Amino acid sequence: DLGVAVEQAAASTSNVSMAIVGADSPLWTALRDLNTTQHISEGEVHVLPTDSDMRFLATVFLYDSITVFASGPGKRAFGAHVNTTTLLTSLAGIKARRLGGLESPGLILETMASAMQDAFRDVDPSLVTISLVGGHKNLDLLGALRETYYPKEEAMWRFSAVVRRSVAEALPGASIDTSLLNRFEGHNLKDLNGCGGPLGDSRNFEGHNLKDGCGGDSRDQGFLVVALDSHSGKVVSQTRQARASA
């Protein structure tokens, strides 16, 4: 039964080291079915209206990215996939506009906020739960935030802080769940010296992309798949285990 599978996966997701969805699970089948699950690519935003035939919103490979899920009454669901590149591009566009530059349509922070407001326009915000999922602790502090966008606001030097403020301002009064945010340590730049991939390109931080001897510890853990079940409002995940403990 899919409902039971969701409940079991949601319970294991709270303990991320055990969040494994079996290949024979009806949930795994549903997440692979494009008629049941709307997949969200990096930089995209999707909303499942109350009359949607789809049940799940899902994203994959949350290493240098954060997924924003929001759920409310009536099987209404929202999802966005924000990585560091799209976030910094968005901030640059907003700054340029304030300085009298050209319009920059499609900026993820603005698109996300607008879509979330539209999705829950007729819903009491206190009935909406926003879940922030993904990220890595060692990838959270961004020099560009400190040097260019928030030089006098130390609390905003972290990727996760900018995303959190954006959703809080978009939907004041909504509950924000950060229990699955930055749950893994992740690699930092010094760990990647000679480990394959250009330094600073966090898309190459995934353990399976690192050369022998550069990974294999708890920092290789991460969310392979995260999904929001619109029927229950539960977040489920498939967690990548560290090779050393596999």
Side-chain angles (χ1 to χ4, degrees):
D1 177 75
L2 184 54
V4 172
V6 168
E7 290 295 329
Q8 292 174 339
S12 68
T13 290
S14 64
N15 177 6
V16 293
S17 65
M18 297 296 292
I20 301 296
V21 179
D24 58 346
S25 166
L27 175 56
W28 182 251
T29 301
L31 293 180
R32 290 167 58 90
D33 186 348
L34 297 182
N35 294 314
T36 305
T37 300
Q38 172 66 62
H39 292 270
I40 309 172
S41 298
E42 291 183 340
E44 288 186 348
V45 172
H46 284 281
V47 174
L48 293 185
T50 55
D51 59 351
S52 175
D53 292 331
M54 291 190 172
R55 177 165 179 169
F56 299 95
L57 288 169
T59 61
V60 298
F61 299 122
L62 300 184
Y63 290 94
D64 69 333
S65 59
I66 293 172
T67 289
V68 177
F69 286 137
S71 60
K75 302 179 182 179
R76 196 173 321 216
F78 166 95
H81 192 173
V82 186
N83 65 14
T84 54
T85 299
T86 56
L87 178 131
L88 292 176
T89 299
S90 185
L91 290 174
I94 293 171
K95 182 177 181 179
R97 184 183 307 151
R98 288 173 178 170
L99 295 175
L102 298 175
E103 288 292 319
S104 301
L107 301 175
I108 185 62
L109 293 179
E110 294 180 331
T111 301
M112 179 174 64
S114 177
M116 184 180 295
Q117 291 166 350
D118 288 343
F120 299 100
R121 186 172 299 281
D122 57 348
V123 177
D124 182 343
S126 67
L127 300 177
V128 178
T129 297
I130 300 172
S131 299
L132 304 183
V133 187
H136 275 91
K137 293 177 183 177
N138 281 336
L139 301 180
D140 203 33
L141 187 64
L142 299 180
L145 297 179
R146 179 183 65 247
E147 297 162 9
T148 305
Y149 302 108
Y150 304 99
K152 299 180 179 180
E153 198 171 354
E154 185 174 351
M156 297 300 293
W157 293 353
R158 296 186 177 277
F159 172 37
S160 58
V162 178
V163 175
R164 179 167 183 164
R165 175 182 285 185
S166 179
V167 299
E169 292 178 346
L171 214 60
S175 173
I176 301 178
D177 180 3
T178 60
S179 62
L180 296 176
L181 181 64
N182 290 332
R183 287 293 296 270
F184 303 108
E185 181 182 354
H187 287 274
N188 55 35
L189 291 179
K190 66 180 181 180
D191 295 322
L192 293 181
N193 187 21
C195 289
L199 292 180
D201 185 354
S202 54
R203 289 169 296 179
N204 291 317
F205 284 21
E206 304 164 30
H208 58 269
N209 282 343
L210 299 179
K211 295 178 181 178
D212 292 342
C214 297
D217 56 30
S218 62
R219 294 169 298 179
D220 288 342
Q221 288 181 295
F223 291 108
L224 283 179
V225 181
V226 295
L228 173 66
D229 175 28
S230 64
H231 289 202
S232 67
K234 302 283 188 181
V235 174
V236 299
S237 72
Q238 176 82 317
T239 305
R240 181 172 188 272
Q241 297 297 296
R243 287 175 290 172
S245 61

